[in-house]
Amino acid sequence: MEKIVIKGGKKLKGEVDISLAKNSVLPIIVASILSPNEIIIKNTPVLEDVTVLVNLLKDLNCEVDFSHETGELKLNTANLQPISSNSDLIRKMRASFLIMGPMLARFGSCKISLPGGCNIGSRPIDLHLKGFKLLGAEIEIGHGFIEAKAKKLKGNRIYLDFPSVGATENLLMAAVFAEGTTIIENAAEEPEIWDLGNFLNSMGAKIEGAGLGRITIEGVESLKGIEYKPIYDRIEAGTFMVAAAITDSIITINGVNEEHLRPTIEKLKECGVKIQVNGDSMIVDGTGKKKPVDIKTLPYPGFPTDMQPQMMSLLSLIEGSSVITETVFENRFMHVAELVRMGASIKIDGRTAILDGVSNLTGCEVKATDLRAGAAMILAGLVAHGETEIGELYHIDRGYTNIEEKFRKLGADIYRVDK
Ligand code: UD1
């Protein structure tokens, strides 16, 4: 079994290049279903989640050409078959449920197994289904499957009880060909939604307000093929920002969008980290004295839940008391037990974690309990005394490209080994 082994204590220095956003690339890949012409996605990160989704499309007769060297991903869904049976791939990854919206839009029906995904709460899909129904689809659920059917979707007004990222994206894609006007209210405002809207508009869709709380979609007849480069990964950038802070180092991060990173920038500044942005590059100076801070995760533009575990590693080492409240997911504290094994002092009370900063962590065997929890373990390992061995790397590989290579280039003592 593969493990990441880190000998803690090395300062980081130099530059790191951020990959394009996993959470943009995944919906954009499935959105390619909406055009029978070739779609080219530039600089696609080579990630396990991308492979899963691409394989799912290949199974459905999509022509795929993915160069791992350049990241150019060519997709042609001209001969795509409607999905009507089970696929293990859908259970493997929650984001693959995003296939339902575009499939419904293109074929008028879609039957897939109920989604799986990261182990961070029950993650229902009620908001997706409520939206499909409002667009005129009939939904049937049974024996682990969901089936949606609609001869022709019709525009409607959809209010989301919670600004779910996935539901906003799925409905945005479903509504592209719907007759008339669709309005999604209380839509998620994440930058990746803006990116999906921009991608679809470049293909010929008529979408206004993607990335804002109210999205208007005028149905169109067809979409054309295009070449597109998605946005940078703000969570990967945030992970490296925390790396500079936790190791008391100064590093340069290339491939950032200041606006998208605003919540993380402001929180790290509050901690005492100095951050200087120059265009799409950023210098993070984590050498100063740091202060404890409180964090509450919220939908964008609030503090991202996907940065919560990484910040927890940092705060566990800052003298004083910090409080982290997780409001987006109900079970996203699995990394706490792992950090405590490394010597952190953290108590959980419902959705709140109370941290009492310790002066050092000690390396030991830990596991990546989910994707971002895995990143938190790497960050803790970079400063822990002795050796940290991280298992269950498939979680990390879902969302980070060459993470140990990127850290090694910055001077960390980190290797992937087969044990
Ligand atoms: C996306 C991101 C993930 C991020 C999350 C929140 C992708 C591929 N993944 O996940 O990295 O952590 O946004 O920023 O983009 N919910 C419902 N009913 C629904 C849908 C969601 O109750 O129908 C709840 C979920 O259980 C969860 C919360 O809403 O508690 C947020 O989920 P959502 O915004 O949908 O996240 P994902 O799209 O799954």
Side-chain angles (χ1 to χ4, degrees), residues 23 94 123-128 162 164-166 305-306 328-329:
N23 288 353
R94 181 180 162 84
R123 305 187 86 168
I125 46 163
D126 54 319
L127 299 171
H128 303 237
F162 180 87
S164 152
V165 173
T305 172
D306 284 353
V328 178
F329 288 111

Side-chain angles (χ1 to χ4, degrees), residues 393-411:
L393 300 185
Y394 56 92
H395 285 298
I396 297 177
D397 294 337
R398 285 189 41 225
Y400 289 94
T401 316
N402 300 332
I403 189 157
E404 68 276 9
E405 275 171 42
K406 288 187 180 184
F407 273 118
R408 209 163 42 238
K409 203 175 146 232
L410 289 171

Side-chain angles (χ1 to χ4, degrees), residues 97-391:
F97 187 63
L98 290 175
I99 203 167
M100 191 149 227
M103 278 295 196
L104 193 55
R106 175 149 168 193
F107 295 109
S109 73
C110 182
K111 181 178 177 184
I112 54 180
S113 56
L114 283 158
C118 251
N119 205 7
I120 51 176
S122 64
R123 305 187 86 168
I125 46 163
D126 54 319
L127 299 171
H128 303 237
L129 301 183
K130 173 182 156 181
F132 291 144
K133 280 186 199 156
L134 283 167
L135 292 174
E138 276 174 39
I139 308 282
E140 262 182 55
I141 301 181
H143 305 284
F145 288 94
I146 302 184
E147 186 167 13
K149 279 192 212 154
K151 278 210 178 72
K152 176 83 184 154
L153 293 173
K154 286 202 175 65
N156 202 348
R157 200 167 169 147
I158 304 166
Y159 176 84
L160 297 178
D161 303 332
F162 180 87
S164 152
V165 173
T168 303
E169 291 169 344
N170 226 342
L171 297 170
L172 190 57
M173 293 185 281
V176 156
F177 301 141
E179 217 174 281
T181 308
T182 300
I183 296 172
I184 308 175
E185 288 174 307
N186 200 27
E189 297 181 29
E190 269 68 2
E192 293 77 19
I193 310 268
W194 172 86
D195 210 14
L196 177 63
N198 192 42
F199 172 73
L200 292 168
N201 280 342
S202 311
M203 293 166 80
K206 285 196 180 151
I207 299 165
E208 261 178 44
L212 303 173
R214 188 174 198 271
I215 306 177
T216 307
I217 307 135
E218 295 292 342
V220 295
E221 291 291 317
S222 62
L223 296 183
K224 61 174 195 269
I226 54 158
E227 204 174 292
Y228 192 78
K229 184 177 166 210
I231 57 173
Y232 290 113
D233 198 311
R234 64 196 164 99
I235 306 301
E236 190 194 10
T239 304
F240 280 96
M241 290 166 77
V242 175
I246 204 168
T247 58
D248 287 325
S249 304
I250 305 175
I251 62 169
T252 299
I253 305 176
N254 302 319
V256 296
N257 180 312
E258 184 176 11
E259 215 37 54
H260 300 169
L261 279 161
R262 174 74 45 216
T264 306
I265 291 175
E266 291 309 319
K267 207 32 94 176
L268 283 171
K269 278 188 175 167
E270 204 184 314
C271 266
V273 178
K274 294 191 190 80
I275 295 162
Q276 194 193 322
V277 184
N278 308 304
D280 64 359
S281 184
M282 165 192 279
I283 298 170
V284 185
D285 178 351
T287 55
K289 180 153 174 59
K290 290 168 205 83
K291 292 191 301 237
V293 293
D294 294 343
I295 291 177
K296 191 177 200 176
T297 66
L298 287 167
Y300 190 85
F303 190 86
T305 172
D306 284 353
M307 280 303 300
Q308 180 261 104
Q310 301 90 314
M311 284 300 289
M312 190 175 293
S313 292
L314 173 65
L315 294 175
S316 72
L317 281 161
I318 298 179
E319 192 186 343
S321 165
S322 299
V323 176
I324 298 181
T325 309
E326 172 59 58
T327 77
V328 178
F329 288 111
E330 69 199 21
N331 182 24
R332 201 168 198 176
F333 280 147
M334 283 178 308
H335 45 285
V336 169
E338 305 300 304
L339 283 173
V340 167
R341 278 169 59 76
M342 296 178 79
S345 172
I346 307 170
K347 286 198 188 101
I348 300 177
D349 181 10
R351 289 190 164 204
T352 301
I354 300 142
L355 290 84
D356 184 12
V358 293
S359 54
N360 62 273
L361 297 175
T362 49
C364 63
E365 269 187 49
V366 288
K367 49 183 191 217
T369 48
D370 66 54
L371 166 55
R372 306 302 170 186
M377 291 304 115
I378 293 181
L379 294 169
L382 292 175
V383 278
H385 290 184
E387 203 167 271
T388 300
E389 208 177 284
I390 306 169

